Every structure is written in structure tokens, then in C-alpha cells.
Amino acid sequence: WNVRPVWMVYNKDDDQMCLQNVTDLKKRFTALRGELRVTELPGSGHNAWSATYNSPDFRKWLQRQKLNLVSYPSDWCDPAP
């Protein structure tokens, strides 16, 4: 099973985030041998994306990611009538 790398970022005092879910997710990724990075920011509230997208480390990490696209055979789709 090919598990894509994930970098999860959340604010420490986010009332929408359940820390048990983070623990469960870490266990599942470890079992699947997936790459999971978890960053807890010191802020509060649900908006962790502003700090994440402004982070040079995140942008560098994101640029290193590759997606292997699937190519389908030419006869995969039915020809037009």
C-alpha cells in the first residue's frame, strides 16, 4: 500500500482538534510505514494554515513531494458514438 507523506499542523489550543485522533493517526501511519510529520503550534484557535503556509520549511517540504500519476491504456474509455 502506497501511503502519501502527510504533515499535520494544528494549534495547541484548537478546540476543534481532538488529540486522541492525532495519536491514533500516528499509530496507523506507523503501521502502514507512512511518513507522518506532526507539528503543534503554540497558538490558539482553529487557524493553523496561515502559519503553515507562511513557513519556509513547509513550502520546501511541499516542493519535494512527488505524485506518481497513473497512465491509463488508450482503450480505457469507450469511443465516442
Side-chain angles (χ1 to χ4, degrees), residues 21-36:
N21 291 345
V22 174
T23 303
D24 293 344
L25 188 60
K26 284 181 185 179
K27 288 178 186 176
R28 290 180 184 189
F29 263 81
T30 301
L32 294 171
R33 298 181 185 198
E35 177 193 335
L36 174 65

Side-chain angles (χ1 to χ4, degrees), residues 3-50:
V3 179
R4 303 285 184 228
V6 171
W7 189 347
M8 183 170 51
V9 181
Y10 64 95
N11 285 323
K12 182 178 181 179
D13 296 327
D14 184 347
D15 60 357
Q16 302 295 312
M17 186 69 196
C18 175
L19 295 181
Q20 184 60 47
N21 291 345
V22 174
T23 303
D24 293 344
L25 188 60
K26 284 181 185 179
K27 288 178 186 176
R28 290 180 184 189
F29 263 81
T30 301
L32 294 171
R33 298 181 185 198
E35 177 193 335
L36 174 65
R37 293 179 71 169
V38 179
T39 301
E40 181 183 85
L41 299 173
S44 61
H46 192 59
N47 178 6
W49 52 87
S50 292

Side-chain angles (χ1 to χ4, degrees), residues 44-61:
S44 61
H46 192 59
N47 178 6
W49 52 87
S50 292
T52 302
Y53 294 141
N54 287 322
S55 165
D57 290 337
F58 176 76
R59 288 195 304 266
K60 289 176 190 173
W61 176 85

